[in-house]
């Protein structure tokens, strides 16, 4: 029965095994996506709990099947007996107690010891209830395999999302720092021009407002980076000084195959959440059969041996007996509880069928949406990249117009903000593409070690330091970026 269980769930065994063995047994090196994923698989508390739950369900199957095997019990006791009598004898008025104890002897003994031993063995010959309980335990293992696979895949996508959220926040923060520096220089120039009477105070205030906004954007970027870092630490239980960056040569292409129906079909066949709900239907169906089995008779063979001994004056020697036979039990009326259990199981089966259909529809919708998002991300990345070129050209033209007096400082500040917003948006689009592509594979049940390693190959090996300064010095990060070195706590 256990072999059948592994055969049914064979498609998920490579994930469960490969994730834990050769694919992630690597020497310690710079923190990239593979190494961090390995740390998460080894240290994540939620995954460890799911694995323990899986082992518990496996053990429950052995518990249930044990009832079909021979049962042997032994029992025994040693008893000290003491009798108190007040009865009178019809001969000579002597009490029975006195007669029994005259000269230390007599016809009886009011203090004696007894010992007994019983050995009993039973073997179930026909027990539908126990057989269905074993079947139910096996179906629970089938479902738990899929739930564990779903937990592992969810951890893979969570780690990848947290990893790229850090890189996303880092690139956005760099854009905000560059924006703050550029607008800061513009503010300095405006102040100098105002002091010599070339511009009005309103232009200085416009520049100052833009600078304050850029500084607020930079502070928010620092916060986002720190939050992203904390998420990764929660998933892995580790802190990292730096991680590998995503290369500019990362391929941006449609999901392969490009047929959306292929991804939907894969999700229906392989998504572990869908398969877990499908296994839940079988589990509920077995529950109905288990309830119906309560009306069936049970038959068992038994054998027992009994031994007893006593040191009483009235009894000498020992006594033994043995029995071998077959016993049967047929429930005739159980107060309606059996019928109630059957109705309960039927409703649970109906509920599990609706749960499966709901999960199937949800998965199909998510796959279709993610496929559309990835397809749009491909075009968006290209458009965002071109927007950087266009906004840089617009900024240069606006600055030239400002120099000759055809543009004012507000135009320059807006052009500055547009350029750095375009840079930040480009970073957002690239990481949206990567995360959505991995999410599509997860919903299709195709997120595995190989998918993580494929994305890991897009990393450049250039280390990105994301250690933030302590909150007591909010400008330490900016000063560190200005001199081209990563900030350190307390700098």
């Amino acid at each position: 029965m256990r072999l059948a269980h592994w055969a049914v769930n064979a498609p998920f065994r490579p994930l469960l095994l490969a994730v834990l063995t050769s694919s992630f047994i690597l020497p310690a090196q710079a923190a990239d996506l593979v190494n961090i994923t390995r740390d998460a698989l080894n240290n994540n508390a939620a995954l460890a709990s799911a694995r323990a739950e899986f082992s518990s369900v496996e053990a429950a199957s052995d518990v249930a099947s044990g009832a079909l095997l021979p049962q042997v019990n032994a029992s025994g006791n040693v008893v000290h007996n003491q009798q108190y009598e007040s009865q009178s004898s019809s001969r000579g008025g002597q009490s029975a107690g006195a007669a029994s104890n005259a000269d230390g002897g007599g016809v009886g003994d009011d203090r004696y010891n007894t010992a007994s031993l019983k050995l009993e063995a039973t073997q179930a010959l026909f027990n539908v209830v126990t057989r269905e309980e074993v079947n139910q335990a096996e179906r629970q293992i089938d479902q738990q395999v899929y739930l564990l696979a779903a937990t592992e895949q969810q951890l893979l996508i969570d780690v990848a999302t947290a990893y790229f959220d850090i890189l996303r926040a880092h690139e956005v923060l760099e854009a905000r720092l560059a924006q703050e520096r550029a607008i800061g220089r513009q503010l300095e120039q405006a102040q100098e021009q105002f002091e010599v009477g070339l511009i009005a105070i309103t232009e200085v205030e416009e520049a100052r407002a833009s600078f304050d906004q850029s500084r607020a954007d930079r502070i928010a970027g620092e916060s986002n980076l720190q939050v992203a870092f904390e998420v990764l630490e929660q998933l892995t239980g580790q802190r990292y000084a730096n991680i590998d960056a995503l290369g500019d040569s990362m391929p941006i292409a449609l999901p392969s195959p490009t047929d959306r129906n292929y991804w939907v079909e894969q999700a229906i066949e392989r998504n572990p959440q869908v398969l877990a709900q499908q296994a839940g239907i079988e589990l509920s169906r077995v529950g109905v059969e288990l309830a119906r089995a309560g009306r069936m008779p049970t038959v068992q063979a038994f054998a027992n041996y009994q031994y007893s001994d006593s040191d009483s004056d009235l009894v000498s020697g020992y006594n033994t007996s043995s029995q071998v036979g077959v016993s049967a039990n047929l429930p005739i009326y159980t107060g309606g509880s059996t019928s109630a259990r059957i109705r309960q199981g039927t409703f649970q089966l109906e509920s599990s069928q609706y749960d499966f259909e709901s999960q199937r529809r949800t998965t199909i919708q998510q796959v279709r949406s993610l496929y559309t998002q990835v397809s749009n991300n491909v075009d968006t990345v290209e458009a965002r990249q071109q927007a950087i070129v266009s906004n840089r050209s617009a900024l240069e033209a606006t600055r030239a117009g400002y120099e000759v007096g055809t543009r004012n400082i507000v135009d320059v500040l807006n052009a500055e903000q547009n350029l750095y917003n375009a840079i930040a948006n480009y970073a957002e689009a690239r990481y949206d593409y990567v995360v959505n592509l991995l999410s599509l594979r997860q919903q299709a049940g195709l997120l595995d070690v190989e998918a993580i390693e494929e994305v890991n190959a897009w990393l450049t090996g250039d280390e990105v330091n994301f250690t933030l300064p302590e909150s007591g010095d909010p400008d330490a990060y900016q000063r560190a970026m200005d001199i081209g070195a990563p900030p350190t706590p307390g700098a």
Side-chain angles (χ1 to χ4, degrees):
M1 199 173 299
R2 183 62 51 82
L3 292 177
H5 148 64
W6 290 117
V8 168
N9 301 287
F12 285 91
R13 301 314 301 169
L15 174 65
L16 297 174
L17 297 177
V19 157
L20 304 176
T21 55
S22 59
S23 294
F24 284 113
I25 300 178
L26 302 173
Q29 52 184 316
D32 59 9
L33 183 57
V34 167
N35 286 321
I36 292 177
T37 302
R38 178 193 60 190
D39 291 340
L41 292 169
N42 291 333
N43 301 318
N44 184 263
L47 179 58
S49 174
R51 289 171 180 161
E53 179 65 21
F54 177 78
S55 299
S56 173
V57 172
E58 278 193 317
S61 176
D62 296 332
V63 172
S65 60
L68 296 176
L69 300 177
Q71 311 290 310
V72 180
N73 296 294
S75 62
N77 60 65
V78 176
V79 180
H80 173 72
N81 299 273
Q82 183 168 345
Q83 297 180 349
Y84 301 92
E85 299 179 359
S86 60
Q87 297 176 344
S88 298
S89 172
S90 61
R91 292 180 298 175
Q94 187 180 34
S95 70
S100 65
N101 290 309
D103 299 326
V107 297
D109 187 0
D110 62 354
R111 293 183 177 88
Y112 61 94
N113 299 314
T114 60
S116 65
L117 175 66
K118 181 178 181 180
L119 295 176
E120 185 175 23
T122 61
Q123 171 62 60
L125 300 179
F126 182 79
N127 193 323
V128 180
V129 171
T130 302
R131 189 173 68 243
E132 291 300 333
E133 287 176 345
V134 173
N135 192 18
Q136 184 181 57
E138 291 292 335
R139 301 290 75 76
Q140 287 175 337
I141 294 178
D142 292 341
Q143 185 181 50
Q144 198 64 36
V145 167
Y146 299 127
L147 292 176
L148 179 56
T151 301
E152 290 181 334
Q153 289 194 9
Q154 186 62 48
L155 179 59
L156 294 181
I157 190 63
D158 287 346
V159 171
T161 300
Y163 185 96
F164 291 115
D165 279 349
I166 290 174
L167 296 181
R168 179 203 307 265
H170 183 270
E171 289 193 23
V172 171
L173 177 56
E174 285 187 325
R176 297 311 178 192
L177 286 167
Q179 174 181 299
E180 184 178 1
R181 288 194 296 266
I183 296 179
R185 288 192 294 267
Q186 195 69 41
L187 175 59
E188 292 176 359
Q189 293 176 3
Q191 289 174 332
E192 293 173 355
Q193 291 175 341
F194 171 73
E195 290 173 358
V196 297
L198 296 178
I199 61 174
I201 188 62
T202 55
E203 296 193 21
V204 176
E205 295 303 327
E206 290 282 357
R208 190 183 306 280
S210 295
F211 176 77
D212 291 340
Q213 181 60 50
S214 65
R215 187 171 182 271
D217 292 340
R218 186 261 301 171
I219 294 173
E222 291 178 358
S223 175
N224 292 337
L225 180 57
Q226 183 65 22
V227 169
F229 167 70
E230 296 294 343
V231 171
L232 188 63
E233 181 182 354
Q234 184 270 330
L235 292 170
T236 63
Q238 304 288 331
R239 296 185 69 91
Y240 304 95
N242 49 67
I243 61 176
D244 287 351
L246 185 64
D248 293 332
S249 60
M250 175 190 71
I252 305 294
L254 293 174
S256 179
T258 57
D259 182 9
R260 188 177 70 166
N261 291 331
Y262 164 84
W263 294 94
V264 172
E265 292 170 359
Q266 289 296 307
I268 295 174
E269 295 176 2
R270 298 177 62 90
N271 184 283
Q273 292 286 2
V274 173
L275 296 178
Q277 293 294 344
Q278 192 171 29
I281 295 177
E282 296 303 317
L283 181 60
S284 297
R285 185 171 286 114
V286 173
V288 175
E289 296 302 320
L290 177 60
R292 289 173 177 168
R295 293 174 172 172
M296 302 296 292
T298 60
V299 181
Q300 69 174 8
F302 68 90
N304 61 61
Y305 170 81
Q306 299 185 58
Y307 168 87
S308 62
D309 193 5
S310 174
D311 63 359
S312 172
D313 292 341
L314 299 178
V315 179
S316 61
Y318 62 87
N319 181 48
T320 62
S321 65
S322 62
Q323 293 179 325
V324 176
V326 175
S327 65
N329 178 64
L330 176 63
I332 297 177
Y333 180 68
T334 59
S337 60
T338 301
S339 298
R341 290 190 186 98
I342 294 174
R343 292 196 307 273
Q344 180 186 34
T346 302
F347 288 127
Q348 289 175 343
L349 174 59
E350 183 179 0
S351 175
S352 64
Q353 291 170 336
Y354 285 122
D355 288 341
F356 166 72
E357 180 62 20
S358 175
Q359 183 64 54
R360 189 186 72 87
R361 294 179 184 179
T362 299
T363 301
I364 291 175
Q365 181 270 328
Q366 290 177 341
V367 169
R368 289 173 175 170
S369 297
L370 285 168
Y371 183 89
T372 300
Q373 290 176 17
V374 173
S375 301
N376 291 339
N377 290 150
V378 174
D379 297 330
T380 301
V381 171
E382 181 180 357
R384 296 296 188 190
Q385 189 174 25
Q386 183 59 42
I388 295 176
V389 177
S390 301
N391 279 281
R392 182 172 287 116
S393 299
L395 176 59
E396 293 173 355
T398 303
R399 283 175 176 171
Y402 180 69
E403 294 294 333
V404 298
T406 58
R407 294 295 186 94
N408 58 33
I409 195 170
V410 175
D411 296 329
V412 176
L413 294 172
N414 289 337
E416 293 271 11
Q417 291 176 339
N418 290 339
L419 172 60
Y420 292 108
N421 285 339
I423 295 173
N425 290 337
Y426 173 65
E428 295 276 3
R430 287 211 311 156
Y431 293 110
D432 284 344
Y433 169 79
V434 177
V435 172
N436 287 336
L437 181 62
L438 289 174
S439 297
L440 175 62
R441 295 183 67 92
Q442 178 206 10
Q443 290 299 321
L446 301 173
L447 182 60
D448 52 16
V449 175
E450 289 73 17
I452 296 298
E453 291 176 340
E454 179 182 346
V455 173
N456 193 71
W458 299 346
L459 304 179
T460 62
D462 297 331
E463 296 182 355
V464 173
N465 188 304
F466 51 85
T467 304
L468 289 178
E470 296 180 352
S471 59
D473 187 3
D475 294 325
Y477 198 107
Q478 184 182 23
R479 291 201 308 275
M481 294 298 291
D482 287 340
I483 63 175
T488 54

